[in-house]
Amino acid sequence: MNVFHYPQNDINTDLLFPGKYTYTCSTGPEIKEHLLEDLDPSFAGAVQPGDIIIAGENFGCGSSREQPTLGLKYAGVRAVIASSFARIFYRSSINQGLLLIQSREAVDYYTEGDPVAVDPAAGEVRVGDRVFSFPSLPDEMLEILRDGGLLNHIKKQNALGDDA
Amino acid sequence: MGETFAVKVLGRAAGKKVREGEIVFIEPDYILTHDNSAAIIDKFESTVPGGRIRYPGRIAIVLDHVTPAASSKDASGHKKVREFVREQGITNFHDIGVGICHQVMPEMGLVKPGSIVVGSDSHTCTYGAFNCFATGIDRTEAAGIWITGRTWFKVPETINIELTGAFNAGVSAKDLILTIIGEVGAGGANYMAVEFNGPAVGGMRISDRMTIANMGIEMGAKIAAFPANFVTSKYYEALDLEFTGAIWSDHDAEYARTLEYDLEEIVPVIACPHQVDNVVPVKEMAGMKIDQIFLGTCTNGRVEDLKAAADILRGNKIHSGVRMLIGPASRVEYLKAMKMEILQDLVSAGAVVLPPGCGPCLGAHQGVLAPGEKCLSTANRNFKGRMGEKEAEIYLCSPETAAVSALTGKIRDPREVLK
Ligand code: SF4
């Protein structure tokens, strides 16, 4: 498992997925090729299912484009751990079923090479030899995450005959 | 304790008293999508094959981002949207050339005071200028709302920004909002609502309110809103629409923070690469050579902005070392500028007029930069790669700064010319 560490603040959506591809790439495989292209050109080739990203404040600020969250989810990223997240990115991650963990302490504690493990059910993230807890999401949002994103959630509700 | 705008408007929509931090489920009044509708249609169709949109009357689609199409892939996307619109009976559809969605939505009367509008575009917050609770969502959520008609919001805390005084010559709304973002920071208003209050708001033009609200997202805000007053009511009168539904915070509303700005003290500023909150006085950058100037976008593409530039460029020539692109925000604004003979002035000075739409703002076509080039732009974002080339630099400024800099091909303080 890789841990990608981008300690800078305000990593924006253009760095996560360049705007010039917004109307030519919309599927997982198309997006993955350009993920983080202007931030870390080696990311797209290196990322593996189960990997973790650690970043600073206001991660995902800028555009409402969802290629970053969709692409990270498609690439199998287990979780993004950041000091804080931008609002639309945060919302979009729930919609895609991508786990975000806001823990300034965990980010500050992390040093290159530390093993990192997450346990969303317990609301815990382990960095090296320390365990940090993070506040869990409201039930409505957890349900969407558990169903694998908003549209799967809607599909499931429709199948249950629920008037979603 | 009184309530803020955000608490009141979400409470009214939810039909109950709400508190900050609470999650509420709401049926938005309008859901805006643009060229990205093509991708949203795919999501919609794979989630509910053969399904109908829950409230077709609440859907608005504006093709503006890459218009006219730059590639056959864009063209296929546009075609898919046109077919879907016909099948689903969506009447609020505006094809290429009508303008940038955030200009078109209010022009079409779809943004009403006290209403709730979401859009699959981060600058949906622009409609806060019209006392609307308006915010950006992603494509997946837009597809979800097409299907279910509803979504959720966390009731935000509010930052209050009190405005007093009046701008000096050569200073405008763009300088104010850039100054605020420079101080608050790119994430300083994250998840929060921003309210603009104070005596300077009273007579402020709609175009200025739109410039300011438009950039709320650049400090992370969920919404950036203005009260509705006589200026707002005149806008609706001109559209022959009823002016109702306005709502505003109580005098004793409790805010997370209050910031105060005296417009008189604002100076021309510029946001340097590659972050919108990297704001310095224009004076500090004066003399820097630029390759391209872009006057337009949902931030500063209205007739007031074009006029501010034309007043400076009239009878002059743009410096030969720089090219200047003009992107009118909508067909309506384009026509106004024609009628006022502003476009003649700009074109005579050597500017290139683009069709109404987003144009070079997002780097997909029209005026993409070369590596190493510097662009002075009236847009709202200067992120690395934003205009299609990551080795280019984007500097954000007011229409006035853009126009005076066009005369010399170098960054220049507009107060040198406007006194
Ligand atoms: S003009 Fe630029 S910021 Fe505005 S909607 Fe278009 S791409 Fe977005």
Side-chain angles (χ1 to χ4, degrees), chain B residues 191-212:
Chain B
Y191 308 114
M192 297 173 113
V194 173
E195 276 184 19
F196 292 93
N197 282 300
V201 165
M204 191 181 269
R205 300 180 301 181
I206 286 290
S207 62
D208 291 340
R209 296 181 195 198
M210 289 178 80
T211 301
I212 293 168

Side-chain angles (χ1 to χ4, degrees), chain A residues 9-15 18-20 22-26 30 37-38 41 58 61-67 69-70 84-88 90-96 102 138 140-141 144 149-152 154-155 157-158 163-164, chain B residues 23 25 34-36 39 43 46-48 54 65-66 71 73-74 120-122 135-141 143-144 147-148 150-153 186-187 190-191 217 220-222 274-275 277 362-364 381 383-386 388-390:
Chain A
N9 297 335
D10 304 317
I11 291 180
N12 61 56
T13 43
D14 278 74
L15 291 175
K20 62 184 169 196
T22 351
Y23 298 102
T24 48
C25 301
S26 54
E30 289 169 340
E37 189 169 283
D38 290 345
N58 201 23
C61 63
S63 157
S64 67
R65 78 182 60 127
E66 68 181 20
Q67 283 91 343
T69 52
L70 201 155
S84 64
F85 293 97
R87 178 194 156 259
I88 301 179
Y90 186 82
R91 211 176 163 87
S92 181
S93 295
I94 294 172
N95 292 337
Q96 301 306 334
Q102 180 164 340
E140 296 94 327
M141 272 83 257
I144 296 174
L150 179 67
L151 296 181
N152 286 329
I154 290 173
K155 260 189 222 164
Q157 286 192 320
N158 280 350
D163 183 20
Chain B
I23 303 255
F25 285 83
H34 47 64
D35 300 38
N36 60 19
K43 290 173 190 288
S46 66
T47 307
V48 284
R54 177 72 177 248
H65 269 56
V66 190
S71 67
K73 192 147 185 189
D74 303 324
S120 62
D121 188 280
S122 59
T135 192
I137 55 172
D138 71 3
R139 297 172 178 183
T140 296
E141 190 166 342
I147 299 166
T148 66
R150 63 176 210 151
T151 192
W152 57 274
F153 289 111
N190 230 337
Y191 308 114
I217 180 68
K222 176 178 287 197
H274 299 285
Q275 300 222 142
D277 59 0
L362 73 161
R381 284 205 176 121
F383 297 162
K384 196 171 195 176
R386 172 78 182 179
E389 169 49 55
K390 71 173 175 182

Side-chain angles (χ1 to χ4, degrees), chain B residues 34 64-65 100-102 121 123 214 296-299 357-359 361-362 379-381 386:
Chain B
H34 47 64
D64 60 355
H65 269 56
I100 305 170
C101 54
H102 305 312
D121 188 280
H123 295 104
N214 175 270
T297 79
C298 54
T299 319
C358 300
C361 181
L362 73 161
N380 44 38
R381 284 205 176 121
R386 172 78 182 179

Side-chain angles (χ1 to χ4, degrees), chain B residues 60-296:
Chain B
I61 298 181
V62 184
L63 295 182
D64 60 355
H65 269 56
V66 190
T67 57
S71 67
S72 75
K73 192 147 185 189
D74 303 324
S76 307
H78 292 170
K79 182 164 175 251
K80 182 188 281 183
V81 174
R82 291 181 190 112
E83 285 164 3
F84 183 78
V85 160
R86 231 173 288 131
E87 283 162 25
Q88 296 279 342
I90 295 168
T91 48
N92 292 310
F93 170 64
H94 301 289
D95 212 320
I96 68 160
V98 179
I100 305 170
C101 54
H102 305 312
Q103 185 65 27
V104 173
M105 287 290 285
E107 276 173 6
M108 297 295 163
L110 304 184
V111 175
K112 306 226 173 69
S115 69
I116 295 183
V117 177
V118 293
S120 62
D121 188 280
S122 59
H123 295 104
T124 301
C125 57
T126 311
Y127 320 147
F130 300 89
N131 189 241
C132 173
F133 185 101
T135 192
I137 55 172
D138 71 3
R139 297 172 178 183
T140 296
E141 190 166 342
I145 305 174
W146 282 6
I147 299 166
T148 66
R150 63 176 210 151
T151 192
W152 57 274
F153 289 111
K154 191 168 172 181
V155 183
E157 293 186 293
T158 297
I159 297 180
N160 173 32
I161 299 186
E162 289 278 330
L163 303 176
T164 55
F167 292 121
N168 285 314
V171 182
S172 64
K174 184 64 163 291
D175 297 304
L176 170 66
I177 188 63
L178 284 175
T179 303
I180 293 172
I181 293 165
E183 277 169 28
V184 173
N190 230 337
Y191 308 114
M192 297 173 113
V194 173
E195 276 184 19
F196 292 93
N197 282 300
V201 165
M204 191 181 269
R205 300 180 301 181
I206 286 290
S207 62
D208 291 340
R209 296 181 195 198
M210 289 178 80
T211 301
I212 293 168
N214 175 270
M215 295 194 71
I217 180 68
E218 307 311 329
M219 46 183 164
K222 176 178 287 197
I223 63 157
F226 282 84
N229 63 5
F230 65 98
V231 179
T232 331
S233 85
K234 266 207 207 129
Y235 186 92
Y236 291 93
E237 235 169 68
L239 290 177
D240 222 356
L241 282 176
E242 232 184 304
F243 174 66
T244 50
I247 193 166
W248 198 238
S249 51
D250 295 319
H251 286 296
D252 56 348
E254 200 174 343
Y255 296 110
R257 262 175 100 181
T258 289
L259 306 171
E260 290 173 13
Y261 290 90
D262 180 355
L263 272 42
E264 222 126 341
E265 285 169 17
I266 302 295
V267 299
V269 290
I270 203 159
C272 295
H274 299 285
Q275 300 222 142
V276 184
D277 59 0
N278 189 9
V279 176
V280 300
V282 169
K283 255 199 186 139
E284 277 180 32
M285 302 306 295
M288 193 188 79
K289 203 187 151 314
I290 40 183
D291 302 288
Q292 179 168 299
I293 295 175
F294 175 38
L295 170 63

Side-chain angles (χ1 to χ4, degrees), chain B residues 305-350:
Chain B
D305 304 308
L306 305 191
K307 180 170 185 304
D311 286 346
I312 292 166
L313 293 174
R314 188 170 299 120
N316 293 308
K317 284 273 175 269
I318 289 164
H319 191 268
S320 61
V322 68
R323 45 192 197 270
M324 183 169 189
L325 309 177
I326 313 277
S330 69
R331 181 178 289 158
V332 169
E333 296 299 293
Y334 196 141
L335 285 167
K336 279 191 219 165
M338 282 171 79
K339 212 165 162 198
M340 291 165 71
E341 304 195 351
I342 290 169
L343 291 182
Q344 280 88 324
D345 293 332
L346 295 170
V347 173
S348 306

